[in-house]
Amino acid sequence: MTLPETDNKVALVVAAHPDDADFGAAGTAYLWSREGWTFYYLVCTDGSKGTDDPNMNPADLIKLRREEQREAARRAGVTDVFFLDNVDGELTYTRDFLSDVVRYIRMLKPYAVFTHEPEAFIVRNSFVNHSDHRCTGQVTIDAIYPSARDRLNFPEQIAEGLEPHKVKEIYIWGSEQANFDSDISDAVEQKIFALNAHVSQGLSSEDPNSDFLKFVRERWRGEDGRYTERFRRVVLFR
């Protein structure tokens, strides 16, 4: 794995729900953080519909999933987590949503931003790309270019002291056009450890033969036995 050469070792992961960032990029976040990078998570929804438990109160679930995400981020070496608290399952592309993501880009000034695949509805003919995922990916990419870059977009933020910022690289997970393999063989156990923090999602298991562990190991293991997180890497030229 070749890390970007930059003095600005800051990365932002923009995810739709609690646990999405860990599925998408926790291994990379952990490894890059060990090399001096600072990672942040921005979670765009409150996770309030992520349960099959008929007795779970949405307000309690929101609080629980926030705590789980903070713990998962800690396990992945992430510095901090921010939450936008949009309603789970109801994300739409709005100017306010775009403004929120632009705000965090201008505030944190990341060199790289990681996010969801925005285009595909069906991925690898095996699962549906959640509408919240698609919306988050699209808004994030539009926030990167041109909104966070251009001074006349959201000038109220400029008045607050949040100067424009140019993100240099985008890493998109879940893409069928992946062109960048992040070798996480040395971090796959830490990635699983981070995912295990999401107890409410059934991702916590001490059973080495659990269906969850079988799934994650098959999902990220290549034919050579190495584990990878795969991204579509976009290097911006302006």
Side-chain angles (χ1 to χ4, degrees), residues 25-64:
T28 300
Y30 179 72
L31 290 175
W32 287 24
S33 294
R34 291 199 310 184
E35 297 297 323
W37 282 72
T38 300
F39 265 74
Y40 298 97
Y41 282 178
L42 176 62
V43 181
C44 298
T45 75
D46 58 13
S48 58
K49 296 177 182 174
T51 184
D52 291 327
D53 183 353
N55 298 314
M56 176 64 76
N57 180 285
D60 292 336
L61 182 61
I62 292 170
K63 180 180 179 181
L64 178 60

Side-chain angles (χ1 to χ4, degrees), residues 196-208:
N196 284 161
H198 298 283
V199 178
S200 69
Q201 304 306 294
L203 302 182
S204 177
S205 175
E206 298 179 359
D207 178 3

Side-chain angles (χ1 to χ4, degrees), residues 115-190:
T115 195
H116 296 272
E117 161 61 51
E119 297 176 308
F121 281 72
I122 306 296
V123 180
R124 292 188 293 275
N125 291 323
S126 60
F127 65 93
V128 175
N129 192 14
H130 194 301
S131 61
D132 286 350
H133 296 180
R134 300 194 307 269
C135 185
T136 297
Q138 183 179 359
V139 166
T140 300
I141 290 172
D142 287 352
I144 292 168
Y145 180 87
S147 296
R149 183 202 67 168
D150 290 351
R151 180 170 296 275
L152 295 182
N153 271 316
F154 307 110
E156 68 278 7
Q157 296 180 5
I158 306 299
E160 294 171 19
L162 295 176
E163 288 296 311
H165 177 68
K166 296 180 181 179
V167 173
K168 298 301 183 183
E169 298 191 16
I170 309 171
Y171 292 81
I172 301 168
W173 68 77
S175 174
E176 295 188 292
Q177 301 181 62
N179 59 3
F180 183 88
D181 288 350
S182 178
D183 187 336
I184 62 165
S185 299
D186 293 337
V188 67
E189 296 303 324
Q190 198 69 26

Side-chain angles (χ1 to χ4, degrees), residues 64-73 197-201:
L64 178 60
R65 297 199 69 186
R66 180 175 288 213
E67 293 170 352
E68 290 173 348
Q69 182 60 92
R70 289 196 183 280
E71 174 58 21
H198 298 283
V199 178
S200 69
Q201 304 306 294

Side-chain angles (χ1 to χ4, degrees), residues 182-185 188 216-217 220-222 225-229:
S182 178
D183 187 336
I184 62 165
S185 299
V188 67
V216 297
R217 293 186 187 284
W220 295 303
R221 184 171 55 209
R226 307 291 292 176
Y227 290 88
T228 60
E229 289 174 341

